[in-house]
Amino acid sequence: MAALQNSMPSLHHTLFVNSFPQKGLQKLSHGAFLCCKTSVSLHARAEHLSSSAAAASTSSHFQESCGRRQIIAAGIIAPLVSIVDRTPTAFAAETKKGFLPVTDKKDGYTFLYPFGWQEVVIEGQDKVFKDVIEPLESVSVNMIPTNKQDIRDFGSPQEVAETLIKKVLAPPTQKTKLVQAAEHDVDGKAYYTFEFITKAPNYTRHALTAVSIGNGKFYTLTTGANERRWDKMKDRLVTVVDSFKIFNV
């Protein structure tokens, strides 16, 4: 635990901002890009089909048949090219109805988040998605360098959870409670997951966190919701934290 204690200043700097609602730091991103990308794709496809139709109208019956075969082949090949271009399936978060996947090929992690949440930019965090109506409903991923090779080198799940909750994941003015902590392995890599509650004067947040080590980094994913919406959101948040995986880069 001494190693984890020594990491607290850096951990606090990168993770602390996730412990309470953020105002004035949010910046919507990627939405316009997605629209643009979709538009270009549709435009390109429309031009392709248009040119194919023009060629077919001036061709012989044999050429028309070949053109139709080419269009059919293109319809089959295009999805295959799309699949090949993606991150290997072993490294990608498994798609699930009502969720969208995130795969960071540079930093080596993947997870799912509920459909409808939007990506925001918050200083000190690598990735954040949140509900714009319910600001306490969010998921964030953070990383700090470490020379440790295994999360178990920092102590038991309970020890790591209590240290992070008290010194990193909640402001010192908030009351905290560790509900449970556990360990599980995925493809030979150890992960700690824990559930905790933080109480502020004007709200109570129920949260889940997953931590692990890989690529020379200490990874932390935290998701949660207002206590009053916990029963409604619990299953979705469990899906988020369980989907978190690290892969080698």
Side-chain angles (χ1 to χ4, degrees):
M1 284 306 293
L4 184 58
Q5 293 283 0
N6 293 335
S7 301
M8 284 304 104
S10 181
L11 278 167
H12 185 275
H13 175 73
T14 55
L15 304 181
F16 177 75
V17 287
N18 185 56
S19 302
F20 48 89
Q22 300 296 316
K23 296 181 180 179
L25 292 175
Q26 300 180 8
K27 176 183 176 184
L28 296 180
S29 63
H30 88 283
F33 170 77
L34 290 177
C35 292
C36 176
K37 185 176 180 181
T38 302
S39 175
V40 170
S41 177
L42 291 175
H43 180 66
R45 181 169 291 182
E47 288 183 345
H48 174 70
L49 293 177
S50 176
S51 61
S52 298
S57 64
T58 59
S59 302
S60 64
H61 176 71
F62 174 77
Q63 290 173 324
E64 291 175 357
S65 299
C66 290
R68 285 194 295 270
R69 291 192 183 97
Q70 290 173 346
I71 293 173
I72 293 172
I76 295 173
I77 293 172
L80 293 177
V81 173
S82 176
I83 292 173
V84 171
D85 187 52
R86 294 175 185 171
T87 299
T89 304
F91 297 153
E94 183 180 354
T95 303
K96 188 171 184 178
K97 185 177 180 180
F99 293 83
L100 294 175
V102 174
T103 299
D104 190 318
K105 298 179 182 180
K106 177 183 177 182
D107 291 314
Y109 65 83
T110 182
F111 66 93
L112 299 174
Y113 69 94
F115 181 81
W117 287 12
Q118 296 189 25
E119 184 172 10
V120 297
V121 176
I122 297 180
E123 184 180 359
Q125 302 199 45
D126 192 65
K127 195 83 68 178
V128 181
F129 291 85
K130 64 167 46 184
D131 189 308
V132 295
I133 298 176
E134 295 285 345
L136 291 181
E137 293 176 12
S138 66
V139 58
S140 65
V141 176
N142 299 276
M143 301 160 294
I144 62 167
T146 181
N147 58 6
K148 300 294 184 180
Q149 301 297 316
D150 193 301
I151 190 65
R152 289 169 289 203
D153 293 339
F154 285 110
S156 69
Q158 290 76 17
E159 290 174 325
V160 171
E162 289 175 354
T163 300
L164 290 176
I165 293 169
K166 292 179 180 179
K167 297 184 177 295
V168 177
L169 297 174
T173 56
Q174 291 186 0
K175 296 181 179 180
T176 63
K177 176 184 178 182
L178 174 63
V179 178
Q180 59 180 340
E183 174 187 339
H184 69 279
D185 283 11
V186 177
D187 298 328
K189 183 179 294 294
Y191 293 78
Y192 287 173
T193 56
F194 51 92
E195 176 183 348
F196 64 101
I197 297 172
T198 59
K199 294 184 179 181
N202 57 336
Y203 68 85
T204 298
R205 189 174 194 240
H206 206 134
L208 300 171
T209 290
V211 294
S212 189
I213 290 177
N215 303 309
K217 301 174 183 177
F218 185 110
Y219 293 80
T220 303
L221 175 143
T222 297
T223 186
N226 195 306
E227 180 65 40
R228 63 179 171 78
R229 285 175 53 83
W230 174 251
D231 290 340
K232 181 178 181 179
M233 293 298 299
K234 179 180 178 179
D235 290 344
R236 275 178 276 184
L237 300 181
V238 168
T239 296
V240 172
V241 80
D242 285 348
S243 71
F244 183 57
K245 301 293 183 296
I246 298 170
F247 55 88
N248 294 329
V249 291

